[in-house]
Structure formats: structure tokens, C-alpha cells
Amino acid sequence: MRDAIKEAARASLHLLSGAAIAILCHLMAGVALFTACLTVTVIGAGVLPESVLLLRRLAGRERQRTAAWTGTPVPEAYLPLEGPLPARVRTAVTDPGTGRDLVWAAAQLLYGMALWYVSLVLWLPALIVDGVGTGLAGRRPVALPLIGRLADLGAEWSRALLTPAPSAARDAALAARIEQLTATRAGAIAAHGAELRRIERDLHDGAQARLVALSMRIGLAKRAYDSDPVTARKLLDDAQTQAEEALAELRHVVRGIHPPILTDRGLTGAVRALAASSGLEVRVSVTGLADSAGAADDEPAAAPPARPRAPGTAPAPSVPRPADGRRAPAAVEAAAYFVVAEALTNAAKHSGATRASVALTREPAALRVRVKDEGRGGAEAGESGGSGLVGMRRRVAALDGTVRLTSPEGGPTMIEVELPCVW
């Protein structure tokens, strides 16, 4: 009896909140009439999108309430209200979600209040019937559970009215996808522009300056060749040194565009080279990827000499390698390489860590990269983070990938990247 009363009380609270939403729907009806009058006069057309947004929030609250009661989310599908005012008004009028929400609001006015009133009427008789039946006959309550069924009925009606049609869900998903692609395209363009500016800066400040100095020294050596061969030889030696430095600068710029080591040794070899030169103790694990460097999966970047096997012990199991040996597309490998490079650079410079781990995993339709360091943490995940993290997110988003950063204060910091990939 006690459990039945608790469940009936919970159902009554649910019905009470439904009645409150019904009252808000009654107020929304007045807002709708007011908006319709203003829209007819054209002058107040700007109120229509805001009223539709208000209706969406009210319907969204009902979806949350229904999901909390049933334990199953109620999907929603709306076209985005963006752009200039005429486009927003047109979207608000033509969106099937607007009509669906209006029908729900009109129905909620009726069943939201009706179910609440019925539950109030049921309480006293249910307590008497179930109290007598439970106390004298020892049977289970049969009247109090009816209040819970009323709440179930209201949730079913709300779900039926607010669940979008398949075509509306497809249209909303397509609109959301277009919006996402527009954002990632803008991010890719911004990242491309930043990369071009970086290359231009590196060429101007590095290789170009050295080439200008080289040209000047060769000119001075030519002038001094006949009168002072010793000075000319010294100038030529300096010119050769500067030519080598300029060549090194150009190689550095080329590596920033597309590292040649990716072409020569593949992603696993390039990542192992990054790990070895990072200044940290980095463990690299590879699952399902071809390893052109000849290192086994799950082998540390700088592995210690193998210890002799004790007598009577079984040999370590070998990790199976992919039979096809296929590599990810060049763009995916480059993105994964730069993610690892940026993550290890941040770990070495800012985290205070001495150890890190890198995991490359081949999945049926994706390449997963995970970089973890044991530093102090505190890295910011949003656009307010460092330029390296922002650039990483933009580079990954351009390939329709995802980035997940976990960095609580005190560490550890973990960056997980998933890059869609067709093998």
C-alpha cells in the first residue's frame, strides 16, 4: 500500500506539471492570435519567428517531461530559424514542426487539465478502496495504480503528437547536416588561410632572408675574388653554410605542409618518429594498422633490449597484423599525424608531463587516435583554448571527424580523435 501511494503521488505530480503546461498552452493560444494579427498587418511579421521559437521551447519542455516519465527520449525535428527576416518567417510558416506543435498545444489544453482533474477525483475513492482491500482482504492495490495509468496515457498522447513524421525528421536532419558542413567548411577555410599565412611567414623570415644573405655574400665574393682570394674564399664558405641553412629551412616548411616521412614510412612510422623526438617517454600502440617501420604492435617508441625468456615460460603471444596492409587516405594520415604532433608538443611545453602514450586503432570505418599524458591537466576544450587545439579541431572537422578532450585539473589529459575512413 505504501509503494502504491508513493507511485500514485509521483504520477499526480507528473499530471500536475501537465496541467501547468496546459495553462501555458492556453496563454500560448493568446500569443498565437496576437502574432497572427500582427503578421496579417505585415508590420509585425518579425514577431512570428519569435513566437514559433517560444512554442518550440514549450513543446521541448513537454518532450523532456514525457521522456523523464517513460524513460524513452521523444525525438524532435525542426528546420533552423536563421538568416534574414523573410527567410525566418518563411521557415516558421512552412516547417511541419510548427503545425505539429500547434496541434499538440491545442490537445494539451484538453487532456492536460482533464487528466489532472480525473486524478483528483480518484484519490479519495482509491485510498478507501485500496485501504480496505489491503487491510482486510490482504490483496494488492487496484485503484491507486489507475492514477499512474492516467499519467501513462498522457505521456502516450504527448509522444504521439510530438513525434515528427519520417519525412520531417529527414528534412531536419538534412538541414542540420548542411549547417554542420557549412560550419566545418568555414573552419577548414580558416585553417587553410592560417596555414598559408604560416608558410608565408616561415618563408619570409627564414628561407627568404637566408637566400638574400646568400646572394649578397656571393656578390661580395665575386668582387673580392681577384684582389683578395682569401677573403673571397671565406665569403664563399659562409655562403655555403647559409645555403645549407636555407635548405634546412625549406625542408622544415615542406614538412609543415605534408611530412615526407608519412609517404616514406607511413603513419605508424611517422608517429614513432614523433614520439622518439618529443622529449617525453612515449609509448606507441598500434592496432590493425600496417607498420612499415617493422615495429610490432604495442611496442614502446624507444623499446628496451629484449630480456631472455625464463626456462619453462611460454613465449609472448604475437599480435595479428592486418592481412591487406592497406593505409588510410593521405588526408586522414596527415590529420592524424598533426593531431599527434600537436598533442605531444602541448604535453612537452605546457603539461609538465614526463610520460605520454599514443594509440592508433583501425576501425571498420574510421581511424581512431588517442593521446594521453600524465601532466597537470587544465587544457581548455572550447574555442578559447590554445591556437594549436583550435587548429586541431578545424583540421579534424574538415574531414568530418570528431575531437574529444578530457583534461581535469591535476590531469591526466586525453585527446581522442575519430577520423572517418574507407579502407
Side-chain angles (χ1 to χ4, degrees), residues 279-291:
L280 303 173
E281 181 185 345
V282 183
R283 181 176 183 83
V284 179
S285 62
V286 182
T287 304
L289 291 174
D291 197 338

Side-chain angles (χ1 to χ4, degrees), residues 315-329:
S318 59
V319 180
R321 296 182 182 276
D324 53 16
R326 294 178 184 174
R327 291 175 52 177

Side-chain angles (χ1 to χ4, degrees), residues 3 5 8 24 26 60 69 71 78 82 101 125 140 237 270 279 297-298 306 312 323 354 364 366 415:
D3 293 339
I5 291 176
L24 293 178
H26 183 76
W69 177 257
Y78 295 113
E82 297 177 347
D101 289 349
R140 298 176 62 86
D237 291 340
D297 289 357
D298 298 330
T354 58
I415 298 176

